Amino acid sequence: QVQLVESGGGLVQAGGSLRLSCAASGSIFSINAMGWYRQAPGKQRELVARIIGGSSTNYADSVKGRFTISRDNAKNTVYLQMNSLKPEDTAVYYCNADCLPPDSDYVNYWGQGTQVTVSS
């Protein structure tokens, strides 16, 4: 089984920064795409940023220029550096990964979520 464990959420003032981390552990042969999604109260879960392999990235328009996604393949970890945070960034942030077990096809996994709250 695979687990995604997020950390780094919290409360920050507008204009501040946070760095989220998500470490994948378990029976993993390789990981293809890793990403971050978020869900605000009363809204649908949306893609924030995604990274495929080591360098191909895409971002939601609302976070371009403020957030940076990166990964450490040796540690099976993905990061989200969030700068210039705005109150509208407040949400539960979820890690997502396409993991390849040693004896199966790719399986998509979700983390448990970490709360990010930006005060005005």
Side-chain angles (χ1 to χ4, degrees):
Q1 188 65 317
V2 173
Q3 282 190 320
L4 303 181
V5 179
E6 300 122 332
S7 61
L11 173 65
V12 65
Q13 287 189 333
S17 298
L18 283 174
R19 188 191 193 210
L20 305 183
S21 300
C22 171
S25 62
S27 184
I28 302 171
F29 181 73
S30 68
I31 301 177
N32 187 16
M34 301 187 81
W36 290 94
Y37 291 72
R38 67 186 181 187
Q39 188 167 17
K43 295 188 177 181
Q44 288 188 332
R45 191 173 297 189
E46 63 176 0
L47 173 69
V48 176
R50 194 164 178 256
I51 183 166
I52 301 174
S55 59
S56 177
T57 60
N58 61 287
Y59 295 90
D61 287 343
S62 59
V63 307
K64 283 180 181 177
R66 300 187 297 122
F67 292 9
T68 303
I69 190 170
S70 62
R71 64 190 282 178
D72 183 335
N73 290 328
K75 297 180 178 180
N76 287 338
T77 299
V78 63
Y79 306 96
L80 185 68
Q81 178 66 43
M82 304 185 294
N83 299 328
S84 303
L85 282 161
K86 304 175 181 180
E88 51 263 44
D89 294 318
T90 295
V92 178
Y93 284 69
Y94 296 92
C95 178
N96 180 271
D98 291 327
C99 300
L100 181 66
D103 56 355
S104 180
D105 204 346
Y106 277 98
V107 179
N108 187 257
Y109 292 93
W110 290 95
Q112 80 285 356
T114 185
Q115 177 71 45
V116 171
T117 303
V118 184
S119 63
S120 57

